[in-house]
Amino acid sequence: MKVRTDIRVDGMTCGACAARVQTALGDADGVLDARVNFASSRATVLHDGTIDDADLRALVEQAGYSAPADTSDDVEAERRRIAGLRRRLIVAVVAGLPVVAVSMLPPLRFDGWRWAALVASAVVVFGSGWAFHRAAMLNLRHRAATMDTLVSLGTTAAWVWSAVVLLAGVDDGHVYFETGTVIVGLVVLGKWLEARATRRSGEAVRALARLGASTARLADGTEIPVDALAVGMRFIVRPGERIATDGVVVSGASAVDMSMVTGEPVPVEIAVGDEVIGATVNADGTLEVEATRVGADTALAQIVRLVDEAQGGRAAVQRLADRVAGVFVPIVIVLATATLAVWFVTGSASADAFTAAVAVLIISCPCALGLATPLAVMVGTGRGAQLGVIIKGAEVLEDTRRVDAVILDKTGTVTEGRLEVVDAVATVSTDVTAMGLLAGALESRSEHPVGAAVARRWPSNRTVTDFLNHPGLGVVGRVDGAEVRVGRRPLFERVPDELEEAVAGAEAAGHTAIFVGRGSAAEAVIALADTVKPTSRQAVQQMQAMGLEVSLITGDNRRTARSVGDAIGVDDVTAEVFPGDKAVAVARLQEDGKRVAVVGDGINDAPALAQADLGIAVGTGADVAVEASDLTIVGGDLRAVPDAIALSRRTLATIKVNLFWAFAYNVAAIPLAATGILSPMAAAAAMGLSSLFVVTNSLRLRRFRSNRL
């Protein structure tokens, strides 16, 4: 028996923390698998049932973190965490800026300025930076080193040495209070940006859950909560209402908007005996439905579960800085200790020995390291926003580096996402425009998407009377006193062979076809389709030029899907799939070693977007798709997708260069500091140079050029 338990983990500050918790849980008896997501602060544990929730939470706490039993306020806890980071950032800025200004600009100095800097910098280093010191102590207990260790070690060394110099009364002694304040401020800024970028990941599941109906109207007119529905109960769905739960139609006929599941704009005609899905929208007729699945068994609940599992199952991204710091920090500590010992052994003065050792620690302070990721992310995401590309945090950038396959949703992504009239054919004796105007006038009274498309194509102010909607068939009414019918074949008694051929040709091309006639005789055929966006083919060509394998997947029929694939130059086309199938298709490619990006806009795309290595949502689509994605392109231009991938790769490359030089400057200067050639002041200057390089290199991202320009 496999039991799944979700645990909220508080107190993690980096990917190394998540790895530590994962190891603690995974090594426990009875645990089959444990995955810890740093971004969502959640651990997902699969076990055999011999270990209970309390035991699992105890393991988390033994690892040095907290695991609250009550997770009903997860959203509020997340908000409090972000608010806490914001307060720490404000304190660091307000108290730290004066310290930096007076330390770096001699004209601003006043009598006793060093004492004021001592107090203000202590507020920043040990107030705003307390979380880093706590994490460093946890790291020490577990014999590990991360970026938190670097931050704590560097800021403490700079502050303590400066305090010693000040308290010793050395008038010309150099102090480095600004060093600790700058480091803490930059790192807290990075944590705040990261927290804001990842906060919305959980909104995808909550947004999905909100789609369902809250009440159901039983056949006797009684309204009850949806949670009270049981299998076998019958309920009524009126036009415009959401279907309360999955079931089968026992009475009535209608068109149901199934876009939540299929992503397609054309409502599905439903009659007695057909299955319906909860949370889909009844378009026109009244239905009586018998519930067949309720609660966690419904299609909506399954979609929620798919998104939830895909997001929770994604491994936390290990920061490049943490990986390097795991080796760099122990080496720095050893070198600083060795420097102190060598100077003492050689008979040097204690002040000179401590100065050299502190210089080693200061030169290793991650000042530029604190800037390396957040500044590049800020500049890169800012440039992306100018180009209509929204990037959700630094971890997303790493997901783009090896993407080699792109799966495109069809409707709303490659196509416009709404029906348009693409052709009209009339009998030899009939004027096609005249019939279109009659159809447009009649359909102006309809709320059906097909009718709306016809009304847009042929707007008319003619008088319409006796309007009658026949669910699943079409509409009938009088236009300027003459009877007009618009709809499917059964609505007409006589249909000329030439129109039958026109309908067959339209349907073969993947179009929706309807008849128009005066009275019971059909006189014209109108073909409608979801048209391909004019930029989609160019976008596909650009992605293929980047070496990406592009495929198309849709819930629409095979003929339509194949037609769209040919139009945009994609050979690999999969049609007639449901949301779970899309996620499975992504997983299948991942099992084959592919790094998969999914581009979609609908609710039905959310599981695939969450499952993908890189989820890209079209911003004109559903909020759920945007929430479940890693990248969002604002607007409907698919060419923003290659822009997004290229910009993400460029930003990641910039971060890598920043991280390299953030360490390289310091590593090169450590021998000089250890030998006494480089004073602590010069060490601080070297840090400044490395920071200047990081800033300059990051600002180069502002010159990124879009393929659309």
Side-chain angles (χ1 to χ4, degrees):
M1 178 180 68
K2 287 185 179 181
V3 180
R4 170 178 165 166
T5 300
D6 291 328
I7 304 172
R8 194 179 84 202
V9 182
D10 292 339
M12 297 189 296
T13 60
C14 64
C17 297
R20 188 175 303 129
V21 176
Q22 183 166 301
T23 299
L25 292 170
D27 290 343
D29 293 336
V31 174
L32 306 174
D33 183 40
R35 292 174 293 182
V36 179
N37 190 321
F38 168 58
S40 63
S41 298
R42 186 179 63 186
T44 300
V45 183
L46 290 178
H47 54 92
D48 58 10
T50 60
I51 185 170
D52 60 22
D53 295 3
D55 293 332
L56 294 173
R57 289 194 298 272
L59 290 172
V60 173
E61 291 169 357
Q62 289 171 13
Y65 306 90
S66 60
D70 182 9
T71 58
S72 59
D73 63 342
D74 273 1
V75 176
E76 185 59 31
E78 190 176 27
R79 289 173 180 168
R80 287 197 301 268
R81 183 172 70 89
I82 295 175
L85 283 169
R86 183 173 179 270
R87 286 193 296 270
R88 289 167 55 193
L89 180 60
I90 291 174
V91 169
V93 171
V94 172
L97 280 180
V99 175
V100 175
V102 76
S103 300
M104 305 303 294
L105 301 174
L108 298 179
R109 294 174 182 173
F110 52 88
D111 292 340
W113 70 270
R114 294 197 297 178
W115 291 100
L118 169 74
V119 176
S121 62
V123 171
V124 178
V125 172
F126 301 109
S128 295
W130 169 245
F132 305 128
H133 302 305
R134 177 184 177 277
M137 288 185 283
L138 283 173
N139 293 334
L140 181 62
R141 195 175 85 183
H142 293 280
R143 300 178 183 179
T146 67
M147 183 173 171
D148 291 320
T149 308
L150 276 176
V151 173
S152 179
L153 183 63
T155 56
T156 302
W159 190 90
V160 170
W161 176 251
S162 299
V164 169
V165 169
L166 182 58
L167 293 172
V170 181
D171 293 335
D172 59 346
H174 294 293
V175 292
Y176 309 98
F177 292 120
E178 77 283 359
T179 299
T181 59
V182 169
I183 293 171
V184 170
L186 291 173
V187 177
V188 171
L189 172 64
K191 295 291 185 183
W192 180 65
L193 291 173
E194 180 181 20
R196 289 188 62 193
T198 58
R199 176 182 59 185
R200 298 180 66 188
S201 62
E203 282 296 322
V205 176
R206 292 189 286 271
L208 276 171
R210 289 194 295 267
L211 288 175
S214 58
T215 62
R217 182 179 294 101
L218 300 182
D220 62 4
T222 305
E223 282 198 16
I224 64 171
V226 168
D227 294 341
L229 276 175
V231 173
M233 296 178 67
R234 295 187 177 187
F235 56 93
I236 302 298
V237 188
R238 295 184 299 192
E241 292 182 343
R242 289 189 180 276
I243 296 173
T245 192
D246 297 0
V248 60
V249 176
V250 295
S251 175
S254 181
V256 175
D257 181 358
M258 301 277 286
S259 59
M260 183 197 80
V261 176
T262 65
E264 304 312 316
V266 182
V268 177
E269 304 297 340
I270 296 295
V272 174
D274 291 335
E275 293 186 353
V276 291
I277 296 175
T280 56
V281 180
N282 182 23
D284 43 28
T286 297
L287 299 174
E288 183 177 357
V289 180
E290 181 177 311
T292 56
R293 288 187 295 272
V294 297
D297 296 328
T298 65
L300 176 62
Q302 294 302 313
I303 294 176
V304 171
R305 181 183 58 79
L306 286 168
V307 176
D308 187 26
E309 289 183 352
Q311 287 188 336
R314 298 178 70 181
V317 179
Q318 185 75 8
R319 292 289 186 272
L320 294 175
D322 284 324
R323 291 199 292 267
V324 178
V327 177
F328 184 69
V329 175
I331 293 176
V332 168
I333 295 173
V334 170
L335 289 176
T337 304
T339 298
L340 185 65
V342 169
W343 278 75
F344 272 128
V345 169
T346 56
S348 301
S350 59
D352 293 337
F354 278 108
T355 298
V358 169
V360 171
L361 290 176
I362 290 176
I363 198 64
S364 68
C365 284
C367 187
L369 191 60
L371 277 173
T373 297
L375 185 59
V377 171
M378 286 180 66
V379 178
T381 54
R383 179 57 178 155
Q386 293 176 334
L387 300 174
V389 176
I390 308 300
I391 303 171
K392 289 187 180 178
E395 69 278 2
V396 174
L397 304 173
E398 290 200 51
D399 291 335
T400 67
R401 56 182 168 176
R402 289 193 299 273
V403 166
D404 49 21
V406 178
I407 295 178
L408 301 175
D409 171 55
K410 181 181 76 67
T411 304
T413 302
V414 172
T415 65
E416 296 289 356
R418 69 174 187 177
L419 289 174
E420 298 289 350
V421 174
V422 295
D423 194 15
V425 178
T427 59
V428 176
S429 60
T430 308
D431 181 69
V432 69
T433 302
M435 297 306 300
L437 290 171
L438 288 173
L442 186 62
E443 292 285 19
S444 66
R445 301 286 297 274
S446 172
E447 297 180 355
H448 197 286
V450 170
V454 173
R456 282 196 305 270
R457 175 63 178 84
W458 290 290
S460 175
N461 295 323
R462 297 185 183 186
T463 301
V464 178
T465 58
D466 299 333
F467 178 85
L468 181 62
N469 176 41
H470 293 273
L473 295 177
V475 293
V476 177
R478 292 187 176 276
V479 179
D480 291 340
E483 181 184 344
V484 177
R485 301 183 185 185
V486 182
R488 298 172 61 193
R489 176 67 175 81
L491 200 63
F492 297 88
E493 297 176 6
R494 299 188 304 279
V495 177
D497 292 341
E498 56 188 300
L499 295 186
E500 295 278 20
E501 294 175 2
V503 167
E507 292 179 344
H511 300 161
T512 297
I514 57 174
F515 294 96
V516 183
R518 287 168 290 196
S520 61
E523 299 176 76
V525 167
I526 298 175
L528 305 97
D530 184 10
T531 57
V532 175
K533 295 176 183 176
T535 58
S536 293
R537 185 176 183 87
Q538 183 182 356
V540 170
Q541 292 172 342
Q542 290 172 353
M543 285 184 275
Q544 291 171 337
M546 296 170 68
L548 302 172
E549 297 179 10
V550 183
S551 57
L552 184 71
I553 190 166
T554 178
D556 209 346
N557 65 75
R558 286 184 171 81
R559 289 180 300 186
T560 301
R562 183 67 267 168
S563 175
V564 172
D566 292 341
I568 63 174
V570 172
D571 295 327
D572 185 5
V573 177
T574 304
E576 299 177 3
V577 296
F578 284 89
D581 299 326
K582 291 186 178 182
V584 169
V586 175
R588 189 179 301 116
L589 284 175
Q590 291 170 329
E591 290 172 358
D592 292 338
K594 299 289 186 181
R595 300 275 295 186
V596 184
V598 172
V599 187
D601 76 318
I603 295 167
N604 60 303
D605 301 318
L609 288 166
Q611 175 68 39
D613 297 292
L614 181 68
I616 304 176
V618 178
T620 52
D623 290 342
V624 172
V626 175
E627 300 295 351
S629 67
D630 303 305
L631 296 175
T632 300
I633 57 173
V634 180
D637 192 342
L638 196 61
R639 292 177 299 174
V641 172
D643 276 350
I645 295 175
L647 177 59
S648 296
R649 289 177 172 176
R650 181 80 61 83
T651 305
L652 177 63
T654 300
I655 291 174
K656 287 183 176 180
V657 172
N658 286 351
L659 290 173
F660 172 79
W661 285 109
F663 284 108
Y665 269 96
N666 299 342
V667 170
I670 284 177
L672 300 178
T675 56
I677 298 174
L678 196 66
S679 68
M681 177 60 76
M687 284 200 316
L689 288 175
S690 63
S691 298
L692 179 62
F693 175 86
V694 166
V695 170
T696 305
N697 189 49
S698 298
L699 291 177
R700 292 173 60 242
L701 286 168
R702 294 187 301 181
R703 299 200 296 267
F704 176 84
R705 300 284 296 177
S706 168
N707 291 318
R708 292 169 284 165
L709 300 179

